[in-house]
Amino acid sequence: MARLRDVVVDCRHPASLARFWAAVLDGYAVAPYDEAELARLRAEGVDDPEDDPTVLVEGGPPRLWFQRVPERKIVKNRLHLDLESADPDAELARLTALGATVQETYDDWVVLVDPEGNEFCLFERA
């Protein structure tokens, strides 16, 4: 039986979107760059981790990978994350301070978009 290992997000700037999601999710952080990883990037012509074409956010499972693609997001996500919080009003304020934007509000949840326009939802923890 298969298990979920990673969720991969196509994006324009993996480093900044990875930092956003690492800040959003409790217990998640951008994977550190050790000397071996920095050497691997330099061998691929990437001198600054800010320009890394694939950035890992650890803390799950699942892990989150952010990978650079040339095109912008232009249609609704086919897959999105649902988040929950014991205090959704405070969490909504925190998420928008991090760079999320409210797209729609319903009685039981809020639809937001991350800085690159990927939709996600916030629910009250039951």
Side-chain angles (χ1 to χ4, degrees), residues 13-125:
H13 193 260
S16 59
L17 199 57
R19 284 192 301 272
F20 170 82
W21 281 101
V24 165
L25 298 171
D26 185 29
Y28 280 76
V30 174
Y33 288 87
D34 60 16
E35 192 50 47
E37 180 63 9
L38 292 171
R40 185 190 69 76
L41 286 174
R42 284 191 295 271
E44 293 181 9
V46 178
D47 294 323
D48 184 346
E50 190 66 17
D51 298 322
D52 188 348
T54 59
V55 178
L56 174 64
V57 174
E58 301 173 308
R63 302 178 311 176
L64 302 175
W65 276 101
F66 296 87
Q67 67 181 7
R68 182 181 307 137
V69 296
E71 66 276 359
R72 294 190 181 280
K73 179 187 170 296
I74 55 173
V75 297
K76 185 176 180 345
N77 296 6
R78 295 297 298 243
L79 171 79
H80 70 267
L81 301 179
D82 283 347
L83 309 180
E84 64 179 8
S85 173
D87 186 348
D89 292 333
E91 186 62 8
L92 182 61
R94 189 182 77 84
L95 294 171
T96 56
L98 289 171
T101 303
V102 174
Q103 191 173 39
E104 291 189 60
T105 302
Y106 298 94
D107 290 338
D108 298 328
W109 76 95
V110 177
V111 179
L112 299 103
V113 294
D114 72 14
E116 289 205 12
N118 300 300
E119 296 92 357
F120 65 99
C121 296
L122 175 64
F123 292 85
E124 183 169 6
R125 185 174 299 136

